[in-house]
Amino acid sequence: YFFGEGEGYDYMMQEDEWDRDMLLDPAWEQQQRKTFTAWCNSHLRKAGTQIENIEEDFRNGLKLMLLLEVISGERLPKPDRGKMRFHKIANVNKALDFITSKGVKLVSIGAEEIVDGNVKMTLGMIWTIILRFAIQDISVEETSAKEGLLLWCQRKTAPYRNVNVQNFHVSWKDGLAFCALIHRHRPDLLDYSKLNKDDPLGNLNLAFDIAEKHLDIPKMLDAEDIINTPKPDERAIMTYVSCFYHAFAGADWTHLLKNLLFIMDYLPLSLSFPRVSQLLEWIRRTTPWLENRTPEKTMSEMQRKLEDFRDYRRQHKPPKVQEKCQLEINFNTLQTKLRISNRPAFMPSEGKMVSDIASAWQGLEQAEKGYEEWLLTEIRRLERLDHLAEKFRQKATNHENWASGKELLLSQKDYETATLTEIRALLRKHEAFESDLAAHQDRVEQIAAIAQELNELDYHDVASVNKRCQSICDLWDKLGTLTQKRREALERTDKLLETIDQLFLEFAKRSAPFNNWMEGAMEDLQDMFIVHTIEEVQSLLAAHEQFKATLPEADAERQAIMGINNEVLKISQSYGIKASIINPYSTITIEELLNKWEKVKQLVPQRDGSLQEEMARQHTHERLRRQFAAQANLIGPWIQTRMEEIGRCSLEIGGTLEDQMTQLKQCEHVIVAYKPNIDKLEGDHQLIQESLVFDNKHTNYTMEHIRVGWELLLTTIARTINEIETQILTRDAKGISQQQMSEFRSSFNHFDRKKNGAMETDDFRACLISMGYDLGEVEFARIMLLVDPSATGRVSFQSFVDFMTRETADTDTAEQVVASFRILAADKPYILVEELRRELPPEQAEYCIKRMPPYAGPGAPPGALDYTAFSTALYGESDL
């Protein structure tokens, strides 16, 4: 290893990156070669020389000694001029002795290695020289050398977005840090707001080019090397950045007085920021209170917490909100005035920036939001406990009232002496009770679930709840057992009536679907239908035929249902049951089914007739559609063709305007003669409308399309004729030849990219540039006000012709006015009030004195006026 020490400073910045076998990382070695060579040449060129190969050109020691003389300003001993090896070693030793005399202790760097062209030793020696003469003396806020340079970079780039300088390698890879240093001291050289963090190559090359061109800092780094290296060489970056420090450090004092005056103007704004500490302290005190989530046992205590929170929202927080807003307003006002004055942004002390207030306030708002949600959640939890307890009591009471007497009822043996009719009634009654019992199953489960939830929510009287719930569950189990026993007894007694019951059930199962089918069929057969096409009528006819095909199957189902009813009657007579017995499973009677069947048979032929009538009507509508479509499909393309002819005629260049007028008049005559076809189509459209036909699949044209196209055609031919007439008048009035008019039309047509008869703003700009106009933004805006006063973003041909003819007239320029004023001022860059009053008429002199700005250049007497700025503004964007 080699290193240099001086005044307690460790010159080895990257010893971990240097290989112990004296091998340097290839990427870093390449960067150091380029950077150190450029740094050496930046000083050697002062002596009229330079180096090409850093390890070869320093081998004889001559240029090395010359480099030390240039950077130190001191004379070294006279070098040996021989070409032998010992002469070279002697010269290198003189250079190394000089470095040692400056307080740098060199270890493992010998003259022999330099003479032998050892790359690592040569780079290490140059790095030691750079540290000693370019970096060691840097001092910023009680820090020096590398730390001082890093602190200086951090202070200068602090106000810039996307810049965070923490080191001399990866912090500089995107190029924004270099651009920020340049913009901080020379904002006139680049616009930082337009830089993109995702374009590191562009940022780096921009900074390097500006530094080389305007700051006299040679290009020591390659943007591609920095981007393609995961960790750029720290020594190369430090060397290059130190050049910025030396270039800018002295310039900071030149603006000291100006900055001092500025600070005095805006000191009241910056003095408001001590209140930041008070506001932050209040936020730090309040946030823990809002973050406290210890719940209370009773509703009253939680309500008291809620009242305290509401007092905070109504009384304590609003003044702090106003104070926060005022601080932000003061900060933004100060930053705006600093930016307007082209000064660096104001940077509050660490921890007291507006962003710190916003961050702390966001934490307060988050805690507040969470606190309010927690309060409401806790209150809802206590309310839910009270609600659940009351709900449990109500449901338990209702269930106990329902279960009262049920045990005695289920224990009765009334079925032993009952008749057949009474057995049936008892069985049905028991089935109803079973249904009721099943319905109460959910209620019992709800009661148990509420009791479980009260246990989970730690209800204070959970013991009584559990006791009552257990009693309800025990009674429920007993009722279930008694219900099952009574059902078995009733089923044994009911065996004689099982056949009738099954027949009634079968009747209900089959009669209900059949009854529903007949009701649906009657609705469908009597349903109103609205159709618009033959296909829709055909679809209805097909569906009706399918329905008629199902009638035999439906009649078979009717006969089967009647057979079930007859079987019930037969069994009832056998067991002595009266014929008036009612089916408990269905309210549908056999008489209702027979009546509905007869109704269906009557409606089928009526439906046939209605569908045939509608088919005839739709055939008439189809004929009207085809008749309209045949004409519309001819008229629509005819209108489009005429529009294209008008467009081609208006854009023609070869003929005269009179020829174009003749063609347009002929086209107008053809259009007027075509009007009867439009009227005929209107008549067909009227018939269609009267027939309530709203769609036509045979054409894409509607009458509205045809009307709009016809009106547009008439408007276009009239407007185009008017434009040609206006062009003829303009040509004759302004003496424009036909050749000039053709040239105007050719240029206009070429740059009318959309071919819609008007140039877009960008097309017009391109047209002017092609004609040799040197356009700035201000000049182009002035021209646009002339050709497009309504700011439509489009330039018509007439406006273009007016502009071109007007441009041929002689006009004064800003340069001519400046030259005139310079003559009046006797070649001075400014002019005095008395000179204006002496040389100009009184009215013109007072006009100039009132509007001419003061001259800000050097050596001007009091009252001097800037006639150059006045003339420039007079012919540019100005209120003068």
Side-chain angles (χ1 to χ4, degrees), residues 182 480 645 873:
I182 295 173
E645 290 178 357

Side-chain angles (χ1 to χ4, degrees), residues 558-749:
R558 177 187 63 83
Q559 294 177 8
I561 293 173
M562 291 182 63
I564 293 173
N565 184 70
N566 294 335
E567 184 70 16
V568 170
L569 294 176
K570 179 179 178 181
I571 294 175
S572 298
Q573 292 172 0
S574 300
Y575 285 92
I577 301 174
K578 296 181 180 181
S580 60
I581 189 170
I582 299 174
N583 189 339
Y585 301 111
S586 175
T587 58
I588 301 172
T589 65
I590 192 67
E591 291 80 9
E592 292 176 359
L593 294 177
L594 293 175
N595 291 335
K596 290 179 180 178
W597 176 255
E598 292 299 324
K599 181 67 173 177
V600 169
K601 291 196 297 182
Q602 294 175 6
L603 291 174
V604 169
Q606 296 177 9
R607 183 73 169 183
D608 285 330
S610 298
L611 291 174
Q612 292 301 327
E613 291 176 1
E614 183 61 29
M615 176 61 78
R617 192 168 70 91
Q618 288 301 323
H619 276 295
T620 301
H621 290 175
E622 183 66 14
R623 179 180 56 78
L624 291 175
R625 289 190 185 95
R626 292 180 180 275
Q627 182 176 331
F628 176 85
Q631 296 184 69
N633 289 335
L634 295 175
I635 293 175
W638 186 89
I639 292 175
Q640 182 63 31
T641 301
R642 300 290 84 72
M643 289 290 291
E644 293 173 357
E645 290 178 357
I646 294 171
R648 287 194 300 271
C649 182
S650 65
L651 296 177
E652 285 182 358
I653 300 173
T656 65
L657 294 177
E658 285 75 7
D659 293 339
Q660 294 183 33
M661 178 62 73
T662 300
Q663 293 179 19
L664 290 173
K665 288 293 185 179
Q666 292 174 355
C667 186
E668 182 183 29
H669 178 73
V670 172
I671 291 171
V672 172
Y674 200 76
K675 182 65 165 59
N677 295 305
I678 304 298
D679 297 337
K680 173 87 169 49
L681 189 64
E682 286 282 6
D684 292 342
H685 177 69
Q686 182 65 28
L687 292 176
I688 289 178
Q689 292 293 306
E690 291 173 356
S691 300
L692 300 179
V693 177
F694 302 108
D695 61 327
N696 193 339
K697 67 180 181 179
H698 303 297
T699 180
N700 292 326
Y701 295 100
T702 65
M703 195 62 225
E704 185 62 26
H705 291 154
I706 299 298
R707 291 192 191 109
V708 171
W710 179 253
E711 293 298 330
L712 180 60
L713 180 62
L714 295 177
T715 303
T716 302
I717 186 65
R719 184 182 69 249
T720 306
I721 290 174
N722 178 259
E723 288 177 355
I724 297 300
E725 290 174 347
T726 301
Q727 292 175 26
I728 292 173
L729 293 175
T730 301
R731 180 197 65 187
D732 296 342
K734 296 186 178 182
I736 303 173
S737 65
Q738 182 61 41
Q739 181 179 357
Q740 287 178 309
M741 186 63 73
S742 297
E743 290 174 355
F744 292 162
R745 170 57 72 180
S746 176
S747 297
F748 184 87
N749 291 348

Side-chain angles (χ1 to χ4, degrees), residues 252-310:
D252 292 341
W253 293 98
T254 62
H255 303 288
L256 178 59
L257 181 57
K258 187 177 179 180
N259 291 337
L260 181 59
L261 293 175
F262 178 83
I263 290 172
M264 292 175 64
D265 286 339
Y266 303 111
L267 186 59
L269 290 175
S270 61
L271 287 178
S272 64
F273 283 88
R275 290 184 300 179
V276 173
S277 300
Q278 301 172 8
L279 179 60
L280 290 173
E281 179 60 27
W282 179 83
I283 294 174
R284 281 192 286 269
R285 290 198 312 269
T286 306
T287 302
W289 172 65
L290 293 173
E291 291 175 344
N292 184 11
R293 299 294 189 272
T294 304
E296 302 294 344
K297 295 293 184 182
T298 64
M299 178 69 75
S300 61
E301 292 175 338
M302 289 305 298
Q303 289 287 356
R304 187 161 52 252
K305 277 184 173 288
L306 182 59
E307 287 300 322
D308 292 341
F309 178 71
R310 288 173 178 170

Side-chain angles (χ1 to χ4, degrees), residues 364-377:
L364 177 71
E365 293 282 359
Q366 190 65 32
E368 177 182 322
K369 178 181 178 182
Y371 188 71
E372 184 177 16
E373 292 175 353
W374 174 75
L375 283 175
L376 295 176
T377 300

